[in-house]
Amino acid sequence: MTRVKVIPENKKNIIDKIIEMSGENIRDCMQCGKCSAGCPASDGMDLLPHQVIRLLQLGQIDRIVESKSIWNCASCFTCAQRCPRNIDIANIMEAIRLTIIRCVGNSRLKADDVPSKVDCKMPQQAIVSGFRKYNK
Amino acid sequence: MEKIGLKVRARAKEALENREVDEVMGWKKGEFWYDVYPVFITEANEADDLIWDAFCVNNLSKYLIQKQKENKKVGVFLKGCDSLGFNQLLKDNRIDRDQVVIYGLPCVGMVDPEKVKKEGLNKGLLEIKRSKDEITFVTKEGEKKILGRQFDYDKCLACRYPNPVVYDELLDTEIAREVSEMDRFKDVEAIEKMSITERFEYWSNQFSKCIRCNACRNICPACSCEKCVFDNVNAGVSSKASVDSEEQFFHITRAYHVAGRCVDCGECTRVCPAGIPLDQLNHKIMKDINELYGKYDAGVDVSQDAPLVTYKLDDADSFTEHGKGGK
Amino acid sequence: MKKILKSQISQLWKRINQSYELFIPIEKDNKVNFSMWQEGDQVNLEILKTNSSPKNIIFPQTETYLQFEKNGKKINMESVGGKKEAYVLFGVRPCDVVSFNLLDNVFLREPVDRFYEERRNKGIVISMACSDPEETCFCSAFGIDPENAVEGVDVATWDMGDKILWMAQTEKGKMFTQSLKDLLKEATEEDEEACVQLKNNIKEKVKNLPLSNIDMKKIDKSMKDLFESSIWEDFSAQCLGCGSCTYVCPTCHCYDIQDFDGGKSGERFRCWDSCMFSDFTLMAHGNPRKTQKERFRQRFMHKLVYYPNNHGTYACVGCGRCIERCPVHIDMVKVIKKLGGEL
Amino acid sequence: MSVEAKETVMGNKNEFEPLIVAFCCNWCSYAGADLAGTSRLSYPANVKIIRVPCSCRVNANFVLRAFQRGADGVVIAGCHPGDCHYSTGNYYTRRRFSLLTNFLEYVGIEQERFKVDWISAAEGNKFATVMNDVLEKVHRLGPNRKLRDARWKR
Amino acid sequence: MQRIGVFVCWCGTNIAGTVNIEKVIAAAGEMPGVVYAKDYQYMCSAVGQNLVKNTIKEQKLDRVVIASCSPRMHEATFRKTAKVAGLNPYLVEVANIREHCSWIHKNKEEATKKAIALTRAAVAKVALNTALIAGEIGVESRALVIGGGIAGIQTALDIAEAGYEVDIIEKSPSIGGKMAQIDKTFPTLDCSACILTPKMVDVSTHPNINIYTYSELENVKGYVGNFEVTMNQRARSVNMEKCIGCGICTDKCPSKKAKSEFEEGLRNRSAIYTPFPQAIPNVPVIDREACIKFKTGKCGLCETVCPAGAIEFSQEDTKITKKYGAIVVAIGYDIIALDKFGEYAYTNHQDVITSLEFERLTNAAGPTGGKLVRPSDHKKPKKVVFVQCVGSRDKTERGKTYCSKICCMYTAKHAMLIRDKYPDIETYVFYIDVRTPGKNFDEFHRRAVEEYGVNYIKGMVGKIFPDGEKLQVHGVDALTGDTIKIDADMVVLAAATKAKEDAEDLGRKLSISTDTNNFFTEAHPKLKPVETHCAGIYLAGACQGPKDIPETVAQASGAAAKAIGLLSKDKLVNNPCISEVDEKICSGCLACTKICPYDAITSKVITFNDHGKITKRVVAQVNKALCQGCGGCTVACRPGAIDIKGFTNKQILAEVDALCR
């Protein structure tokens, strides 16, 4: 098990950019887990929201990038509503997605092939957040 | 006004004869048509010199302080504005109400000699008589009647208390003068509209006229301190020099000291030898008090606490953002 | 005798202003006072008496005469004050000119007041006869005839309506007139007759002024009776103790010396003081004149009794300013008459 | 570092050194100033504090005297209404200096030169922000020439 | 000429770091009246103070200026030093060149200039100081304790033991407070009633203590040693002397609908009730809203059945005014409202209860006689879930930012008690961190986990919703990263504590300040935890911040010690910087009397010789004992006849001049 360097130098500016983009202070998170407990989309997530924030705090950006969680997040803001430290986790998820998407060509899905993925039971929330996530 | 003059004399004579009072204060005619001065009579026969005409402008109530130190019971004739001054002296415990008998005189307004001179009507003028708003000029050549109040003092034109607010006897029927509350502080609003440099120019020009004679302080019924801070050298507050900053200090402090106590009788402006419109300073403070802490007329109700010696929990203020105070 | 047309008078001001400071009655906010003339000021020669007297020009209300600076424990001092620039005082009425002489008696006697002396020497006083004395004037009671040039004035002028007649009196006045000879024309005979004519009807007017019938002899009683007269009691009861009468009076000359403590630096100045104030002549034990009666008496006794005993002339010039400015209309003439037992 | 020090350091010789006199009430604002000190906050050195028992002790003469002696700004800081150690002191302060604020502005004195505010013992940073803000405004207004006594040389 | 000594302190490097001490000394030497200027590393140290003492004697100084830290810190110290050296203590001034100068400004040259200015102001002020003698005021040897919980009881007992009279004023009908509601106490698990009720009996029987229950504080006037307190004793409608506490009236009373506050609403009570059987005083109270007699005028059954004839419907609220020397505030705490926490479904499901309700459920004297049953259907629960930090450590405005300190311990206690009594019940505790900072606290928690098998899950509960008979609890295990679902029968929420509702307006009555969470602010968080800024008023217990019983009792004894220290003095030295009237100048307008918050100024008639005539005049006079030296009167006095010693008009003007130089 290789030892991981806490907040490696090269990752520092990405973390600061995410904090700056989301406007949230991730150091405020006390890992209480309430966001993960209440997250409706947590079943499909390999990394629970509080673990994503933990990894962000430790600067392990690569493991976040590989995870599916940031894409499963439906931006329903339940977590933001309940977080006792007033952190807007959905906003941070959005910021992480943006950093990935903004590396050119990394868009997960083109806008026009979203309709094919949509079935009638998909809640509008997911569709809207889908558009927002994928077509940048 | 002559009819009332006779009543004044009769009342004074009667009061002195049957010893109701030790002394009566009234007005007496001097050399010239405008020369009327306060007089203190103790003998009944002197009462015949008393008069009541268009120049009895002096407020007699401030003399009561000295009279009461000689613990005399004094009868005094008071107009509307004088009675406000009287109440303010009462509120400051400078005089004792039951040592004074007040004969109230409703007043239609006093004539300003400067305005008569400005019109050039003072040439060869012997006397001025007034009944209600009709003014007769008695000159060597004959009489001339003019209707209207254009010769009255500005303060009389804006007078809100023509009838005495406190009296033991009223020697004339009450007078009704409607004065619009709206433009009471027109003069202040005009100055407030100026830019800040204009205002400073205006006031520093006015203050530089001051010759530090203290007439405005000594005539004012609200300025009745035993030893004024400006007379007290070791208060270390100001000197007698007539330099700009001392004059500024004197006038700001004087206006501030009579804040909530000035009865708006306009005497300070009348007596100022340099002609500084001092009442515009007092009006500004009155306007602010009315806006910030509710309408307050000094000298009307002796029992009501003055604005600066009381407070409300939710008072507005004019220095914090949420202060809701007027600017 | 010279003359100058009123229409050219403004050039005269400009000319004088080039080499002198010109003090002249100027009207501002409908009050006329002697102040330094500047282009565009509204000069008012018609008014009989300026609001406060020209005394302020030769004996200013506040004059700093010593400045000191502290560095460390040492103090270095520097004498300032006095007036360096020459000036011309135009339009002074005869009564005010006499008041200058009365002030000279006080300030130019040993020990000479060097500031006052310097101001007096630097100045050229040009008087103007009173064409139309007011009812509050009573200068005739003190032997001042308002139509003639008063002793001690440099130039006397008469206002003839369209022109001003100009007659130099003293050496300084002649020299000054000389320097203005291109502006001043020679006066013709008619001008001189007109001037004599003017003088006579001024005399007439003065005679029937209401206050002209004062007989000063009546108050030449012993100082003791005057001092203990009963009139002071009721007069002082009226008096409010403000300083208006003393500060507008041309002959009052009392002053107080005070320091301004500026911390590291400071200055010593003298400023007018009024015997009416409660802290006048404040000594260690307080003011020797404790009540308003004594202070009131002091003012009038000084002008009508003490000063004449010291200098031989009354210290009042009958200008009537105190009568106009007193808030309660206390009147010098009434005091004189009452003191003389007439009223 | 005060505003001037920055400028003098940057070489532009701006010699206007504003002076702010602050009257701080002993129980709240003076303690707030102490707290600003203990938490090493910074506000310019031009602010000089005078301790008074309560904000109701400050007389209008002191304010005028400070302006006469060349102060460019005067600040009065007291407890929040309701918190006064003497229970009603600052209610009177509020009335007295509401009138004086409006009156000085009426007579032509820039309003930013005279600031009254409520600073409690726990508001160290509010103390620093108020002082920085007042100095910033006064610095923009320039030296106080209107009320200053010409005979006073600093 | 004055001989002023200036002493500049380095304060180690705190001042010397950014202030050039030599320059300050040099400048001080130049100031008017200064004859001696010296510096030292630590002026407040013994060496520093000796330096001052000896210099005063050697140089015959008559005034001293210390340029050091804030006068709020060491003014008293340096005044004592001067006193010991024979110099009047009020001839010492302190210039604050640390908090207001060296700590604030980094630029050395600027900080030095400012230090010199502040020192010059202090010298200018001290030059005008006059020697003042502190006056003395009497002390009322009686204390008032506000609040009848364990804090109030302990304080009252300690003060009474010291021989002083104590009054306890308690808003609810009986003393006991929150502790009376609790079943067992951690960490020793001894029964709360067993340790509380004996103390309550001591309090009720102690000759020095009188208890005013069912009464509230109206207003407080006066100052340390001489507080005048007005209490409003609400009408109990029962005569305290006659009532023998038999309880017949409470049984017979027909109106049973009112919810019992003591039982946290889990049981109803009659209109005439005693909160709990061991209530002290054991006299019932008629709740006038619920009582049929008061509402409709009919009934009055309790009056007829009462053997002692103690029922008095006509009783009125009575106002009691008494004088006290010291006041101790011990009004305790409350639980926050949970209506904003929708995710826990507290408001819409009976089986979601707070820990206090749980205490009542498990209490033998409780509504269920100690049997743990579900409030909804009274069945025995099989799974009980505890949720920690409900509303605590919460930055949103729903909750409180602080940690409520006692929840971890009492939840461990609850879980342990369940496992001990009903081993078959599964207990789960969702926590963020378990905080067990006290003596034997962590061992207690570990016993709950190891011996009694309480499952601790690190992670918060996301949502609770009714699912048929059960309650679905959705949480997360932050350590393993799994989301967890438990279908529990009962959920206990450890709700945050908060200050009492009326804490702020009580603070205003006593003129002591409250912090942003409405807990009372202590004079100094570390050095004066039981005192307030207002002399003579002390704090005890949870009203000053979340606290458990051991700390509360410790603080109560601390506050009692302070009060006893105050009451033991028969004379109190009062602050001599008070106002004084110059009768020559006073014109008797008495504006000052209207301003004075302590009504310390009254009028009197003086006769004096006015130039030969004897005249009488009204002037103001200051009652030295009442005046606290706020200075409001000096501004109302236009001629400056009234002035504050130590802060005179001339002194402050001198300071202004010095600062503007």
Side-chain angles (χ1 to χ4, degrees), chain C residues 45-46 48 93 128-133 146 159 198 201-202 205:
Chain C
L45 295 180
E46 287 70 31
L48 184 66
R93 297 299 177 188
M128 174 170 279
C130 316
S131 39
D132 161 16
D159 180 352
L198 173 74
N201 61 47
I202 293 174
K205 278 189 193 153

Side-chain angles (χ1 to χ4, degrees), chain E residues 41 74 156 160 269 309 347 350 365 371 410 434 439 443 481 534 652 657:
Chain E
Q41 273 73 9
H74 281 310
R269 59 159 167 80
T347 42
Q350 269 192 329
K371 284 211 292 330
Y410 66 59
V434 176
K439 220 159 98 169
E443 296 88 337
C534 185
I652 297 182
D657 286 2

Side-chain angles (χ1 to χ4, degrees), chain E residues 48-97:
Chain E
Q49 293 190 26
N50 289 339
L51 169 69
V52 173
K53 245 176 270 164
N54 305 340
T55 325
I56 288 177
K57 293 201 181 81
E58 282 150 28
Q59 302 283 338
K60 294 193 217 52
L61 301 179
D62 59 14
R63 277 168 173 73
V64 167
V65 166
I66 315 276
S68 62
C69 56
S70 166
R72 291 170 58 83
M73 192 82 77
H74 281 310
E75 186 173 49
T77 333
F78 292 119
R79 281 187 172 162
K80 273 200 214 73
T81 329
K83 194 167 188 191
V84 163
L87 178 67
N88 181 292
Y90 291 91
L91 294 173
V92 172
E93 281 300 325
V94 174
N96 186 344
I97 59 171

Side-chain angles (χ1 to χ4, degrees), chain B residues 191 199-200 236 245-246 248-249 256 280 288 293 307 310-313 315 317-319 326-327, chain D residues 60 64-65 68 88 91-92 94-96 98 102-103 105-106 109 111 115-116 118 146-147 149 151:
Chain B
I191 296 176
R199 270 203 303 272
F200 181 72
S245 87
E246 295 274 355
Q248 264 171 353
F249 186 92
Y256 198 67
Q280 286 172 1
D288 285 348
Y293 305 118
T310 174
Y311 62 88
K312 291 200 201 73
L313 286 183
D315 270 344
D317 69 55
S318 51
F319 40 78
K327 263 290 162 299
Chain D
L64 294 176
R65 168 61 75 93
Q68 269 185 331
T88 60
Y91 296 139
Y92 295 113
R94 179 164 53 183
R95 283 206 168 188
R96 288 171 186 159
S98 290
N102 293 354
F103 192 71
E105 213 224 328
Y106 179 71
I109 312 300
Q111 194 197 329
K115 176 76 183 141
V116 183
W118 311 123
K146 293 183 176 171
L147 281 175
D149 194 326
R151 304 169 292 183

Side-chain angles (χ1 to χ4, degrees), chain E residues 11 363 446 620:
Chain E
C11 194
N363 191 308
R446 292 319 300 169

Side-chain angles (χ1 to χ4, degrees), chain A residues 34, chain E residues 336 338 341 344 387-394 399-400 404 407 460 492-497:
Chain A
K34 194 152 194 179
Chain E
I336 62 165
L338 294 176
F341 291 85
Y344 296 130
V387 183
Q388 295 306 95
C389 298
V390 173
S392 291
R393 303 175 67 187
D394 184 330
K400 296 292 176 184
S404 299
C407 336
M460 277 305 281
V492 181
L493 304 177
T497 60

Side-chain angles (χ1 to χ4, degrees), chain E residues 6-7 31 33 75 102 114 119 126 225 237 291 332 339 355 390 416 451 462 505 530 538 553 583:
Chain E
V6 176
F7 298 88
M31 292 174 191
E75 186 173 49
S102 64
K114 179 162 180 187
T119 312
V126 90
S237 327
C291 166
D339 47 359
S355 306
V390 173
M416 184 191 287
E451 275 174 39
D505 93 33
V530 291
Y538 305 99
V553 171
E583 282 168 4

